[in-house]
């Protein structure tokens, strides 16, 4: 299957700081990538859709000024959590659409963010 | 938008027995139904999927069935093994080009 990497795998930061998470597709040039958030023992919730070369589309209730998404190339998308607070602590997962069918999604390993 | 319901939320089975997870969806336009396995601290891994033009698909010990009329789809795992223990998510791809996930099923295989 397709390979997606995320960096870092986990991060701990102080409240008020910003954290950047990278998502890379290693064997495919992805025009569309997705960012999800997952709280403990819950399902995945789509935060935003990231399109290469254009602005990301955010889901209702997700603050675009707090969760900055940049999809500058076909293999890299970044999510920056600005002025992080403890309630932002979560598991952040990226995915991208497959080649054969646009509805197939392959997920990265996730990034565990803990805000103190 | 699409609403996916998944049952049961937890499932404990004896090693070697079968496990069945059921999902329903609301949007009749949904045409793609993947199943993901998520181990603790890891991202979801696609284990099997089915499209709306097919009623059943099998891959070794895993099978998925789809009833478009009833808007039901199910995951069947036969001859369960301890390594099958994980959280399983069903999902539906709807006409808004997004995946909607079920709430997840925690499967525990007892040795």
């Amino acid at each position: 299957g397709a390979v997606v990497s995320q960096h870092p795998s986990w991060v701990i930061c102080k409240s008020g700081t910003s954290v950047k998470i990278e998502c890379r597709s290693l064997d495919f040039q992805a025009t569309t990538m997705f960012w999800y958030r997952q709280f403990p023992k819950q399902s995945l919730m789509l935060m935003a859709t990231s399109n290469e070369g254009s602005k990301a589309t955010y889901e209702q209730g997700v603050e675009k000024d707090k969760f900055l998404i940049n999809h500058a190339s076909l293999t890299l998308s970044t999510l920056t959590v600005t002025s992080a607070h403890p309630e932002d602590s979560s598991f952040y997962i990226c995915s991208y659409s497959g080649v054969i069918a646009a509805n197939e999604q392959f997920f990265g390993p996730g990034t565990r963010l803990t805000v103190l | 938008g699409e609403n996916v319901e998944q049952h049961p939320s937890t499932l404990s089975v004896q090693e070697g027995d079968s496990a069945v997870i059921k999902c329903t969806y609301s949007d009749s336009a949904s045409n793609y139904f993947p199943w993901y396995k998520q181990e603790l601290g890891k991202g979801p891994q696609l284990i099997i999927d089915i499209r709306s033009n097919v009623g059943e698909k099998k891959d070794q010990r895993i099978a998925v069935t789809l009833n478009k009329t009833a808007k039901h789809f199910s995951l069947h795992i036969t001859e369960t093994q301890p390594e099958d223990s994980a959280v399983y998510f069903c999902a539906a791809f709807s006409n808004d080009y997004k995946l909607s996930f079920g709430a997840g099923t925690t499967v525990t295989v007892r040795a």
Side-chain angles (χ1 to χ4, degrees), chain A residues 34 36 38 42-44 46 49 59 91 93 101-110 112, chain B residues 31-32 34 36 38 41-46 49 51 89 93 97-99 101-104:
Chain A
F34 304 87
Y36 293 84
Q38 186 179 32
Q42 294 189 22
S43 189
L44 285 78
L46 180 64
T49 303
E59 294 301 298
F91 195 50
I93 312 170
N103 48 20
E104 292 183 15
Q105 288 191 25
F106 299 93
F107 288 83
R112 171 72 60 192
Chain B
N31 58 12
Y32 174 66
Y36 292 90
Q38 187 178 30
K42 298 184 178 180
Q45 179 185 11
L46 178 69
D49 56 14
R51 299 186 186 279
F89 291 98
F93 185 85
Y97 301 98
K98 299 173 186 175
L99 272 180
F101 286 84

Side-chain angles (χ1 to χ4, degrees), chain A residues 11-83:
Chain A
V11 57
I12 301 173
C13 69
K14 294 181 179 180
S15 185
T17 60
S18 294
V19 174
K20 180 184 284 188
I21 301 170
E22 293 185 349
C23 176
R24 294 180 184 273
S25 58
L26 301 182
D27 56 356
F28 168 64
Q29 293 183 329
T31 57
T32 304
M33 300 184 79
F34 304 87
W35 286 97
Y36 293 84
R37 180 167 54 183
Q38 186 179 32
F39 292 108
K41 299 187 184 300
Q42 294 189 22
S43 189
L44 285 78
M45 297 300 297
L46 180 64
M47 298 176 65
T49 303
S50 167
N51 297 296
E52 188 266 340
S54 63
K55 292 182 178 180
T57 303
Y58 291 82
E59 294 301 298
Q60 189 173 6
V62 178
E63 300 176 56
K64 63 179 182 179
D65 294 331
K66 181 171 184 61
F67 299 99
L68 302 179
I69 292 173
N70 184 281
H71 192 169
S73 77
L74 293 174
T75 59
L76 174 64
S77 176
T78 61
L79 169 68
T80 301
V81 183
T82 62
S83 186

